[in-house]
Amino acid sequence: MEPVLLYDTTLRDGTQGENVNFSADEKVKIALRLDDIGIHYIEGGWPGSNPKDQQFFDLAKRVDFKHAKLVAFGSTRKPGTTPEKDENLKALLTSETPAVAIFGKSWDLHVEEVMDNTLPENLAMIGESVKFLKWNGREVIYDAEHFFDGYKNNREYALQTIAAACESGADFIVLCDTNGGTLPHEIESIISDVQKHLEEKGCKSPEGGAVKLGIHTHNDSGMAVANSITAVRTGAVMVHGTINGYGERCGNADLTSIIPILCLKMDRPCVTPDNLNQLKFVSRYVSETANLVPYNNRPFVGRSAFAHKGGIHVSAIMKVPRAYEHMDPELVGNERRVLVSDLSGKSNVVYKAKELGVELGNNGYDSKKIVSEIKNLEQEGYQFDAAEGSFKILMEKFTDRFKPLFELESFRVTIEKDRDKPCTASATVKISVEGKEEITAAEGYGPVSALDNALRKALDRFYPDLDTMRLVDFKVRVIDGTRGTAAKVRVLIESRDQERIWSTIGVSEDIIEASWQALADSFQFKLAKEEGARIGN
Ligand SMILES: [Zn+2]
């Protein structure tokens, strides 16, 4: 099958998404990751529009991409000038990228009512700009902005705009669903008509074959991926998208879905299997760099994409994973997860025990007994599918394998409020490790942070490697609001070190007690891991 060219615009269209920002340095690092997984074209930004993008292209001049072509993005020349005098086009050339993308208007509404321009001048702007860039030795990707809306409004004119780009030597004509309102069946019929029209007009690619079409979609109707895939099926050979679907409004087409669909389900070569299994890593890398929480339910690469909760599902996937999985998660670098919750059956516990290396049944605690204990705890408000760290400790307790790496003797927390000043909190913690006691005090922004600081200080004498660990999230939920102040609270703490993230849970009628449970589990989990590493376990 013919390969499909992947065109990533995370660094340009992606950064138009709310809360998505990258520094020039971060952009270079992301571009290198994209190059690593075999993206063919990386759109780095709009050098004519802001100094940060200009800085990125300056930095990128010193970078050797193994595979990808870097693309600078801009617009056609302004009305009433020449390409040679147009600052925008000049900035594209000074970026020194092998390829450039320029967008032009296809929708008469934009030309006449938004731009206050004339239809013929718009055609001249497209043709002259493409010619100018080709003359300067660039590969030219022409983005037909609002193509589908333009086509619906004035088919003849929309077709004239792309014919102008073709006749001037554009290497790719990319049809854009800029407003994201087009549906897959419309994409199919419009692209088919475009192909027919360009052929009838005798338009060719610069190599002499059929015009090479690309697709650029937005997700305002939840159709960005479906529309891209439909376009490829109809004959597009280039797909634009962003990692994690970041982009303006509802985002762009998500390459983390498009890539596995093309490779695994349509047999369209685009990246190698080795690159494909880096996909989850790249998705995380980009969300971490953007400082955005990754969506758990993102197809293919989300944490929950292959997570099984229902007992029937779990017993089935233990026999045949295919029974409840559309593909092997490892192909995209993801993993199968089994969740433990009140929907659990025995199979979940057996699977989980195996995963954690816990042997069941040695002390009379078989999977059936554990399931019933878990169900009791869940009645009390525990929820283990979101707290794998605490679940591991619980399983170890059930099977007499739990070795506490510290024990609490006592703690005291004081909170002080002085008029309208912010609260201050301090905590004293007394712990013992193998019979040796340690008592410390610390302050914090609130009671949990004070406890965290005091415990850390106390443990430091015994376990000096704790500075890589930090708390990243703290969630409190009232479980039974109908009982007023006697209602229980559930505290979930998420912690991380350089290698992994883990969650722990505490439940109590007292928020500090619940927080302590979750905090203590989090440190026990971290220390057990260090201890395991130390004794080569
Ligand atoms: Zn776009």
Side-chain angles (χ1 to χ4, degrees), residues 9 12-14 16 43 73 143 145 176-179 216-218 240 247-249 251-252:
T9 178
R12 201 273 304 169
D13 228 356
Q16 285 174 227
E43 193 172 81
F73 175 87
D143 282 3
E145 196 195 24
C176 304
D177 184 27
T178 309
N179 290 2
H216 177 113
T217 62
H218 280 261
H240 287 204
E248 194 122 27
R249 305 184 309 276
N252 285 60

Side-chain angles (χ1 to χ4, degrees), residues 389-452:
S390 292
F391 182 73
K392 180 170 188 272
I393 292 170
L394 184 71
M395 294 279 271
E396 287 170 351
K397 284 182 181 165
F398 283 154
T399 53
D400 297 332
R401 286 167 53 116
F402 180 64
K403 284 191 271 113
L405 293 159
F406 64 90
E407 265 163 306
L408 175 74
E409 300 296 331
S410 62
F411 71 68
R412 176 192 296 260
V413 178
T414 327
I415 304 169
E416 201 176 315
K417 177 80 177 162
D418 183 6
R419 290 173 183 268
D420 54 358
K421 289 182 193 150
C423 279
T424 55
S426 59
T428 312
V429 170
K430 187 172 166 191
I431 57 159
S432 61
V433 175
E434 289 168 359
K436 288 183 211 113
E437 284 187 351
E438 179 74 22
I439 177 161
T440 52
E443 292 180 321
Y445 298 114
V448 180
S449 129
L451 266 176
D452 176 32

Side-chain angles (χ1 to χ4, degrees), residues 111-354:
V111 177
E112 293 178 318
E113 290 180 39
V114 181
M115 306 262 300
D116 217 4
N117 196 2
T118 65
L119 297 180
E121 170 64 0
N122 181 55
L123 293 178
M125 283 156 58
I126 296 169
E128 288 170 23
S129 304
V130 171
K131 261 190 208 137
F132 172 73
L133 293 168
K134 285 304 292 178
W135 175 252
N136 281 282
R138 300 301 192 273
E139 183 173 358
V140 177
I141 296 142
Y142 175 72
D143 282 3
E145 196 195 24
H146 292 294
F147 181 78
F148 296 93
D149 294 312
Y151 177 98
K152 288 183 212 170
N153 205 48
N154 183 343
R155 172 182 174 273
E156 289 314 311
Y157 187 71
L159 291 171
Q160 280 174 34
T161 65
I162 56 173
C166 266
E167 284 156 5
S168 308
D171 295 274
F172 293 92
I173 303 288
V174 180
L175 307 177
C176 304
D177 184 27
T178 309
N179 290 2
T182 310
L183 301 180
H185 65 275
E186 297 172 306
I187 296 275
E188 187 177 357
S189 69
I190 294 174
I191 294 184
S192 302
D193 186 40
V194 165
Q195 288 165 323
K196 216 170 96 209
H197 174 83
L198 292 176
E199 207 183 307
E200 279 167 12
K201 278 208 80 177
C203 293
K204 296 251 181 287
S205 79
E207 294 85 44
V211 175
K212 288 186 275 187
L213 294 178
I215 183 77
H216 177 113
T217 62
H218 280 261
N219 202 33
D220 300 74
S221 307
M223 291 289 163
V225 169
N227 282 344
S228 305
I229 296 299
T230 303
V232 169
R233 275 176 51 89
T234 316
V237 294
M238 173 185 270
V239 184
H240 287 204
T242 62
I243 299 296
N244 299 332
Y246 293 150
E248 194 122 27
R249 305 184 309 276
C250 311
N252 285 60
D254 189 345
L255 285 178
T256 67
S257 288
I258 290 176
I259 294 172
I261 292 172
L262 291 175
C263 290
L264 300 172
K265 293 171 187 277
M266 292 172 70
D267 204 18
R268 294 295 294 264
C270 52
V271 302
T272 65
D274 276 352
N275 288 334
L276 186 61
N277 65 37
Q278 295 291 307
L279 200 61
K280 182 183 168 187
F281 165 74
V282 171
S283 160
R284 285 299 152 83
Y285 186 85
V286 173
S287 55
E288 285 286 319
T289 310
N291 201 17
L292 294 173
V293 180
Y295 289 150
N296 282 347
N297 58 357
R298 178 164 282 135
F300 300 96
V301 294
R303 190 172 143 77
S304 308
F306 301 94
H308 303 279
K309 187 162 172 182
I312 295 170
H313 289 216
V314 175
S315 68
I317 59 134
M318 282 174 75
K319 293 183 197 144
V320 194
R322 206 151 63 84
Y324 283 98
E325 283 175 359
H326 70 112
M327 57 168 275
D328 177 358
E330 282 170 20
L331 295 173
V332 290
N334 209 340
E335 59 187 358
R336 176 173 308 127
R337 290 169 61 237
V338 166
L339 307 176
V340 184
S341 76
D342 51 5
L343 296 180
S344 300
K346 262 172 23 188
S347 323
N348 298 50
V349 171
V350 172
Y351 186 94
K352 212 64 201 169
K354 211 168 123 195

